[in-house]
Amino acid sequence: HLRELWLGLDVARERVSTGGGGEPAMLALQEASEQQQDLLMYISDVLGLENPALSEALAERMLQYVLFPVLLGSLITHRVDHVEGIGSSQLLLAPANVRVAKDRLSPSCALYLLHQVFDAFSQARALLQPLVAVLLLPRLPATLLEHCAGPAPPSPATYKATTADVSGPASAEAAAVGPLDDGAP
């Protein structure tokens, strides 16, 4: 869901920056920003529960599905230089307000959101430690570069629906069935 919020924020930012939409566009940008900030704060609260297994699992999924492919992927373009017959990967910043793919952000929006991530998760070592380590690398390993520069991975099926035998029916399914009839008078 965070990816969709961030992509919506960038669309709203682009609309405002091109002068389209007037005050309603500015309000939509503010709303998009507030929604993503609320979700970041919620995730930060979950990470702050001091449950190492939960924190590591959530941080891993955030890195794999959002932070690396969307934020880092929005900040880089991939170029191969042939030096003495050997290809080497280099990271180049894309132009500030140009989105390089539909599942990517403009670099200016990605930098803003990277700041938001650092601000929201300042106490979440499980999330920030790997992110900072990658940001400080002089060159990304080929597999990570491929993950960041390639298409963002699809959301896991578990993000889209619950498993009825584990957690019961999804809210929409429960509402369709109606209130539970426990046989009480």
Side-chain angles (χ1 to χ4, degrees), residues 157-173:
T158 55
Y159 289 7
K160 298 176 184 172
T162 59
T163 305
D165 59 338
V166 174
S167 59
S171 299
E173 293 170 359

mmCIF file of all heavy atoms in Angstrom, residues 157-173:
data_model
loop_
_atom_site.group_PDB
_atom_site.id
_atom_site.type_symbol
_atom_site.label_atom_id
_atom_site.label_comp_id
_atom_site.label_asym_id
_atom_site.label_seq_id
_atom_site.Cartn_x
_atom_site.Cartn_y
_atom_site.Cartn_z
ATOM 1 N N ALA A 157 0.782 -12.009 -2.354
ATOM 2 C CA ALA A 157 -0.652 -12.303 -2.299
ATOM 3 C C ALA A 157 -1.205 -12.089 -0.892
ATOM 4 O O ALA A 157 -2.353 -11.706 -0.724
ATOM 5 C CB ALA A 157 -0.911 -13.731 -2.766
ATOM 6 N N THR A 158 -0.374 -12.307 0.126
ATOM 7 C CA THR A 158 -0.838 -12.136 1.496
ATOM 8 C C THR A 158 -1.169 -10.687 1.811
ATOM 9 O O THR A 158 -1.866 -10.413 2.770
ATOM 10 C CB THR A 158 0.202 -12.645 2.500
ATOM 11 O OG1 THR A 158 1.444 -11.984 2.234
ATOM 12 C CG2 THR A 158 0.373 -14.143 2.395
ATOM 13 N N TYR A 159 -0.670 -9.738 1.023
ATOM 14 C CA TYR A 159 -0.997 -8.338 1.239
ATOM 15 C C TYR A 159 -2.381 -8.018 0.691
ATOM 16 O O TYR A 159 -2.984 -7.039 1.050
ATOM 17 C CB TYR A 159 0.008 -7.418 0.540
ATOM 18 C CG TYR A 159 1.371 -7.388 1.165
ATOM 19 C CD1 TYR A 159 1.743 -8.238 2.188
ATOM 20 C CD2 TYR A 159 2.313 -6.495 0.719
ATOM 21 C CE1 TYR A 159 2.999 -8.201 2.745
ATOM 22 C CE2 TYR A 159 3.595 -6.450 1.264
ATOM 23 C CZ TYR A 159 3.924 -7.308 2.270
ATOM 24 O OH TYR A 159 5.164 -7.265 2.806
ATOM 25 N N LYS A 160 -2.863 -8.852 -0.213
ATOM 26 C CA LYS A 160 -4.119 -8.571 -0.891
ATOM 27 C C LYS A 160 -5.320 -9.247 -0.240
ATOM 28 O O LYS A 160 -6.434 -8.817 -0.408
ATOM 29 C CB LYS A 160 -4.023 -9.006 -2.353
ATOM 30 C CG LYS A 160 -2.959 -8.238 -3.108
ATOM 31 C CD LYS A 160 -2.825 -8.748 -4.509
ATOM 32 C CE LYS A 160 -1.688 -8.022 -5.204
ATOM 33 N NZ LYS A 160 -1.383 -8.598 -6.484
ATOM 34 N N ALA A 161 -5.101 -10.345 0.457
ATOM 35 C CA ALA A 161 -6.209 -11.079 1.059
ATOM 36 C C ALA A 161 -5.704 -11.827 2.279
ATOM 37 O O ALA A 161 -4.523 -12.133 2.385
ATOM 38 C CB ALA A 161 -6.802 -12.063 0.054
ATOM 39 N N THR A 162 -6.602 -12.124 3.167
ATOM 40 C CA THR A 162 -6.225 -12.928 4.319
ATOM 41 C C THR A 162 -6.452 -14.392 3.997
ATOM 42 O O THR A 162 -7.152 -14.743 3.057
ATOM 43 C CB THR A 162 -7.059 -12.544 5.554
ATOM 44 O OG1 THR A 162 -8.436 -12.752 5.243
ATOM 45 C CG2 THR A 162 -6.815 -11.108 5.951
ATOM 46 N N THR A 163 -5.869 -15.247 4.782
ATOM 47 C CA THR A 163 -6.077 -16.677 4.631
ATOM 48 C C THR A 163 -7.131 -17.074 5.653
ATOM 49 O O THR A 163 -6.897 -17.003 6.858
ATOM 50 C CB THR A 163 -4.761 -17.440 4.889
ATOM 51 O OG1 THR A 163 -3.775 -16.896 4.012
ATOM 52 C CG2 THR A 163 -4.916 -18.922 4.640
ATOM 53 N N ALA A 164 -8.286 -17.481 5.161
ATOM 54 C CA ALA A 164 -9.438 -17.736 6.032
ATOM 55 C C ALA A 164 -9.148 -18.760 7.122
ATOM 56 O O ALA A 164 -9.603 -18.608 8.252
ATOM 57 C CB ALA A 164 -10.635 -18.187 5.200
ATOM 58 N N ASP A 165 -8.375 -19.804 6.813
ATOM 59 C CA ASP A 165 -8.146 -20.830 7.832
ATOM 60 C C ASP A 165 -7.141 -20.391 8.891
ATOM 61 O O ASP A 165 -7.006 -21.037 9.909
ATOM 62 C CB ASP A 165 -7.702 -22.147 7.188
ATOM 63 C CG ASP A 165 -6.433 -22.014 6.379
ATOM 64 O OD1 ASP A 165 -6.101 -20.893 5.957
ATOM 65 O OD2 ASP A 165 -5.774 -23.028 6.160
ATOM 66 N N VAL A 166 -6.437 -19.285 8.664
ATOM 67 C CA VAL A 166 -5.488 -18.790 9.653
ATOM 68 C C VAL A 166 -6.078 -17.617 10.426
ATOM 69 O O VAL A 166 -6.058 -17.577 11.640
ATOM 70 C CB VAL A 166 -4.156 -18.378 8.985
ATOM 71 C CG1 VAL A 166 -3.235 -17.719 9.989
ATOM 72 C CG2 VAL A 166 -3.506 -19.577 8.336
ATOM 73 N N SER A 167 -6.602 -16.646 9.712
ATOM 74 C CA SER A 167 -7.041 -15.414 10.377
ATOM 75 C C SER A 167 -8.514 -15.102 10.188
ATOM 76 O O SER A 167 -8.955 -14.023 10.521
ATOM 77 C CB SER A 167 -6.202 -14.241 9.855
ATOM 78 O OG SER A 167 -6.366 -14.127 8.462
ATOM 79 N N GLY A 168 -9.274 -16.012 9.628
ATOM 80 C CA GLY A 168 -10.685 -15.757 9.408
ATOM 81 C C GLY A 168 -10.888 -15.026 8.094
ATOM 82 O O GLY A 168 -9.948 -14.700 7.388
ATOM 83 N N PRO A 169 -12.135 -14.763 7.746
ATOM 84 C CA PRO A 169 -12.419 -14.110 6.466
ATOM 85 C C PRO A 169 -11.987 -12.647 6.477
ATOM 86 O O PRO A 169 -11.878 -12.034 7.534
ATOM 87 C CB PRO A 169 -13.936 -14.241 6.342
ATOM 88 C CG PRO A 169 -14.417 -14.346 7.751
ATOM 89 C CD PRO A 169 -13.320 -15.061 8.508
ATOM 90 N N ALA A 170 -11.728 -12.128 5.285
ATOM 91 C CA ALA A 170 -11.427 -10.710 5.148
ATOM 92 C C ALA A 170 -12.643 -9.909 5.579
ATOM 93 O O ALA A 170 -13.771 -10.409 5.571
ATOM 94 C CB ALA A 170 -11.067 -10.395 3.694
ATOM 95 N N SER A 171 -12.455 -8.664 5.937
ATOM 96 C CA SER A 171 -13.552 -7.813 6.413
ATOM 97 C C SER A 171 -14.691 -7.749 5.407
ATOM 98 O O SER A 171 -15.861 -7.799 5.777
ATOM 99 C CB SER A 171 -13.042 -6.403 6.691
ATOM 100 O OG SER A 171 -12.057 -6.441 7.675
ATOM 101 N N ALA A 172 -14.380 -7.655 4.119
ATOM 102 C CA ALA A 172 -15.411 -7.571 3.090
ATOM 103 C C ALA A 172 -16.243 -8.848 3.049
ATOM 104 O O ALA A 172 -17.461 -8.810 2.884
ATOM 105 C CB ALA A 172 -14.778 -7.308 1.730
ATOM 106 N N GLU A 173 -15.579 -10.012 3.220
ATOM 107 C CA GLU A 173 -16.307 -11.273 3.227
ATOM 108 C C GLU A 173 -17.214 -11.372 4.449
ATOM 109 O O GLU A 173 -18.336 -11.839 4.364
ATOM 110 C CB GLU A 173 -15.326 -12.450 3.216
ATOM 111 C CG GLU A 173 -14.529 -12.562 1.939
ATOM 112 C CD GLU A 173 -13.397 -13.576 2.067
ATOM 113 O OE1 GLU A 173 -13.221 -14.183 3.146
ATOM 114 O OE2 GLU A 173 -12.671 -13.745 1.074
#
